[in-house]
Amino acid sequence: MKVFLDTNIFLEYFEQTNRLRALLNIVLSMATVAGVSHKNIVSGTNDLAFDDVEDSFQYHCALQNKCDSLVTINLKDYSNADTAKMEILSPTEFVEKFL
């Protein structure tokens, strides 16, 4: 299963830089960082379904990498996303569904 994590999840829950770095190193030892193409950055820039361009970039990056789910604390920012292509979940929803 491929899952895209909105990095704001980490920033929200781990405010101290050293704790955040330690956590990210753990996550990076278990996961691959998804890349994004120029084409998908252009698509994200011009996707009018999103008010927040950063969220649009994340969505298009997750689509490009064929993720099954995108996990975010900002569900409202993805309210216009095409959920037929990928499930948008909160961290709690993801844990309840998959762990």
Side-chain angles (χ1 to χ4, degrees):
M1 166 183 261
K2 289 186 176 183
V3 177
F4 189 96
L5 290 176
D6 179 343
T7 55
N8 287 319
I9 292 170
F10 299 113
L11 298 174
E12 179 80 17
Y13 294 107
F14 297 94
E15 295 172 2
Q16 295 177 343
T17 303
N18 289 337
R19 288 179 59 205
L20 175 61
R21 284 187 176 136
L23 174 67
L24 288 174
N25 281 316
I26 292 168
V27 170
L28 290 170
S29 72
M30 299 182 295
T32 302
V33 175
V36 64
S37 68
H38 177 83
K39 176 184 173 187
N40 280 307
I41 291 294
V42 171
S43 295
T45 299
N46 296 297
D47 189 340
L48 300 178
F50 291 89
D51 292 327
D52 186 328
V53 175
E54 175 197 359
D55 293 326
S56 185
F57 291 157
Q58 293 175 357
Y59 176 76
H60 285 274
C61 180
L63 286 177
Q64 175 185 325
N65 286 277
K66 298 178 176 55
C67 293
D68 302 300
S69 302
L70 187 150
V71 180
T72 181
I73 56 174
N74 299 316
L75 290 174
K76 66 179 178 10
D77 292 342
Y78 293 88
S79 61
N80 295 324
D82 184 353
T83 55
K85 295 180 179 180
M86 175 177 43
E87 196 168 26
I88 311 295
L89 301 169
S90 71
T92 301
E93 290 170 329
F94 180 80
V95 168
E96 289 172 353
K97 186 169 184 172
F98 296 108
L99 302 180

